[in-house]
Amino acid sequence: MKLYGIPLSGHTHRAHLFLNLLNLPHDYVTVDLRNGEHKKAPFTDMNAFGEIPVLQDGDVTLADSNAILVYLASKYDDTGRWLPRDPVAAANVQRWLSIAAGKVAYGPAAARLVTVFGAPRDHEAAKTIAVNLFDVMERELQGRRWLVGDHASIADIAGYSYIAHAPEGGVSLKPYPNIRAWLDHVRALPGFVAMPASQAGLAPEEV
């Protein structure tokens, strides 16, 4: 298997993390975003949108980090824990995948794009979305270790990377003890690999 992306991308990290949690050997191919490698062939032959990450598994080529999580869980997790087969649990996992593609992407991920990469986004609007999301998550995680059910699922993996690095975008996790505990539970999973931290955002005492 080959995973194409960059270390500072949370979308890439969620795929890289899950590959490691499943103990699946793979090559990590760094894409030269600075020079636009992702916007021209041969990369656009793998993903016409010119976005990372991309996973190659034999004859299968997949783009979109959440799609990659679903594929890996469906193909390589015989236990069904990472992507539950129960209809209600599966729907709840899908809910959090949608949140990862929506509120996480437009909240903590977008705020971090501004501070880490200088992206032209509305930083204050992104921080507001992040805070509103975290307020809801904090309540939902009350008395729970995981977002869905009694064990980790791809819902947790989809949410982890950008939420853990929200302080880099100027969004503090200090007011959210349940979220911080949940992040610690993800970090304690066997095979966990961290996403590199940047120097952007809040000072350590503000995190």
Side-chain angles (χ1 to χ4, degrees):
M1 264 185 280
K2 289 184 179 179
L3 178 66
Y4 295 81
I6 63 169
L8 287 178
S9 160
H11 288 83
T12 303
H13 178 255
R14 63 176 65 145
H16 180 51
L17 172 58
F18 196 42
L19 284 163
N20 279 274
L21 293 174
L22 292 177
N23 197 27
L24 293 172
H26 60 282
D27 294 325
Y28 192 117
V29 182
T30 301
V31 181
D32 187 357
L33 268 62
R34 186 181 298 274
N35 289 314
E37 181 185 356
H38 57 308
K39 296 299 185 182
K40 54 195 176 188
F43 188 88
T44 50
D45 295 333
M46 297 188 294
N47 182 3
F49 288 109
E51 298 170 347
I52 55 172
V54 169
L55 179 74
Q56 286 185 328
D57 183 16
D59 295 333
V60 175
T61 299
L62 278 175
D64 184 88
S65 57
N66 286 344
I68 290 169
L69 296 182
V70 170
Y71 168 77
L72 292 173
S74 299
K75 183 169 184 179
Y76 293 106
D77 172 33
D78 294 333
T79 70
R81 287 190 167 191
W82 290 103
L83 181 57
R85 299 182 179 97
D86 171 75
V88 175
N92 281 322
V93 167
Q94 179 57 57
R95 173 187 178 235
W96 283 105
L97 295 182
S98 297
I99 290 170
K103 293 176 176 63
V104 172
Y106 293 104
R112 184 175 170 273
L113 278 174
V114 174
T115 57
V116 176
F117 298 103
R121 302 284 195 276
D122 187 332
H123 192 215
E124 292 305 315
K127 289 196 292 182
T128 297
I129 293 170
V131 168
N132 291 337
L133 167 64
F134 293 171
D135 287 345
V136 173
M137 287 188 70
E138 181 69 12
R139 292 193 297 270
E140 294 210 9
L141 283 166
Q142 181 66 40
R144 294 165 54 183
R145 292 174 64 90
W146 308 109
L147 292 173
V148 178
D150 297 328
H151 43 73
S153 70
I154 59 172
D156 303 290
I157 307 310
Y160 172 82
S161 305
Y162 285 119
I163 293 173
H165 289 257
E168 295 176 18
V171 184
S172 177
L173 294 172
K174 235 178 183 178
Y176 306 107
N178 293 332
I179 291 177
R180 288 186 279 109
W182 165 71
L183 293 172
D184 287 340
H185 296 321
V186 175
R187 293 185 189 104
L189 290 168
F192 174 83
V193 289
M195 183 168 81
S198 77
Q199 298 303 310
L202 300 174
E205 63 271 13
E206 299 175 304
V207 171

